[in-house]
Amino acid sequence: MSLGALRPSSLVDQATRRLREQITSGEWPVGTRLPGETTLAKELGVGRSTVREAVRALSGAGLVQTRQGAGVFVVATEPAEDWPARLRRAAVVHVYEVRTLVEVQAARLAAERRTDADIAALHEALAGRRAAAAGDDAAFVDADIALHAAVVAAAHNPVLTDLFAEFVPALRQGLIDLVDLLGLRHGDGNPGDDTHAALVRAVERGDAGEARRTLQGELDHTLALLREAAQAAGSAGP
């Protein structure tokens, strides 16, 4: 099947899309060796550098693999789902379980590595959480997440920081829904203040064990509520 020449705009994107269509349509099944750069460039009407960029994009999507001395081969007919997309699709309880594993260790590291600037940021975030008690549920959840983010940042591990940031979009709406569903702020606009204050104090004085235990207890409590809400939603289904 002829690939057809491309229009001059967005050549890399167009080349990537055209080659992807060959793969996802089954025209090039798994195990197929892609035509060489020169052949693809001629069929697409582009330069070899454009073909190389397109193949690199396909490789990043998990569709093709370069084998030294052998060429480029199709290894999958569907793009690999990226991490943010997988988190968005996952149940909030499952995401929260992983968040707990990550964040508890981050709290321990934060107590060992915190700086004066980190301590100031933690107190500022705690004050922000308290101020958000006067706001709506979304504002309060955002302030709560900001405090937890400050704890993770104090661990001074960029991988932990990035991983926590990936969790936030998947958790935020679930936590807002939880607060509303269970009425967690009815009568007390700032639930969990004592626990969060204790966490900040533990990190500030460098007590890694206490920081870990305090956060573990707080996250376990929220996780239990999430499970309760999930079970209630399941039993109320059609």
Side-chain angles (χ1 to χ4, degrees):
M1 182 177 84
S2 175
L3 294 175
L6 300 177
R7 296 185 301 276
S9 62
S10 306
L11 291 179
V12 172
D13 290 342
Q14 289 186 64
T16 302
R17 185 165 56 251
R18 194 69 58 80
L19 296 177
R20 189 197 306 267
E21 289 170 357
Q22 291 289 104
I23 295 170
T24 58
S25 69
E27 187 72 23
W28 291 344
V30 172
T32 299
R33 180 181 182 278
L34 267 61
E37 278 184 8
T38 302
T39 301
L40 289 175
K42 182 177 179 180
E43 289 200 35
L44 294 170
V46 298
R48 292 175 61 184
S49 62
T50 298
V51 171
R52 279 194 294 272
E53 288 298 319
V55 169
R56 187 175 293 117
L58 294 176
S59 178
L63 293 173
V64 302
Q65 183 180 78
T66 300
R67 298 174 186 169
Q68 193 66 32
V72 180
F73 292 82
V74 177
V75 294
T77 56
E78 292 294 334
E81 186 176 38
D82 62 21
W83 179 240
R86 184 170 296 182
L87 284 177
R88 288 193 298 270
R89 184 171 53 80
V92 66
V93 170
H94 295 158
V95 178
Y96 207 91
E97 287 175 345
V98 178
R99 174 205 175 173
T100 299
L101 295 173
V102 170
E103 198 177 337
V104 166
Q105 294 308 310
R108 178 181 63 80
L109 292 175
E112 295 172 352
R113 300 174 178 176
R114 81 282 184 270
T115 65
D116 290 345
D118 293 324
I119 292 171
L122 286 168
H123 281 287
E124 182 179 352
L126 181 61
R129 189 179 188 276
R130 287 168 172 168
D136 59 18
D137 291 344
F140 182 76
V141 167
D142 286 340
D144 179 75
I145 290 172
L147 174 55
H148 286 268
V151 172
V152 174
H156 293 279
N157 182 315
V159 176
L160 281 175
T161 300
D162 290 346
L163 192 56
F164 181 82
E166 294 281 7
F167 289 147
V168 170
L171 288 171
R172 180 179 180 274
Q173 190 57 52
L175 292 174
I176 293 171
D177 292 343
L178 178 71
V179 169
D180 177 58
L181 178 66
L182 300 184
L184 298 182
R185 300 180 66 222
H186 292 174
D188 179 9
N190 185 19
D193 180 67
D194 53 347
T195 303
H196 286 80
L199 172 62
V200 170
R201 289 194 300 269
V203 172
E204 181 174 11
R205 66 174 179 266
D207 190 337
E210 184 60 23
R212 179 182 58 78
R213 286 189 295 272
T214 300
L215 188 54
Q216 182 78 64
E218 193 265 326
L219 293 178
D220 281 351
H221 174 67
T222 303
L223 182 56
L225 293 176
L226 284 169
R227 287 173 174 152
E228 176 185 328
Q231 290 173 356
S235 62

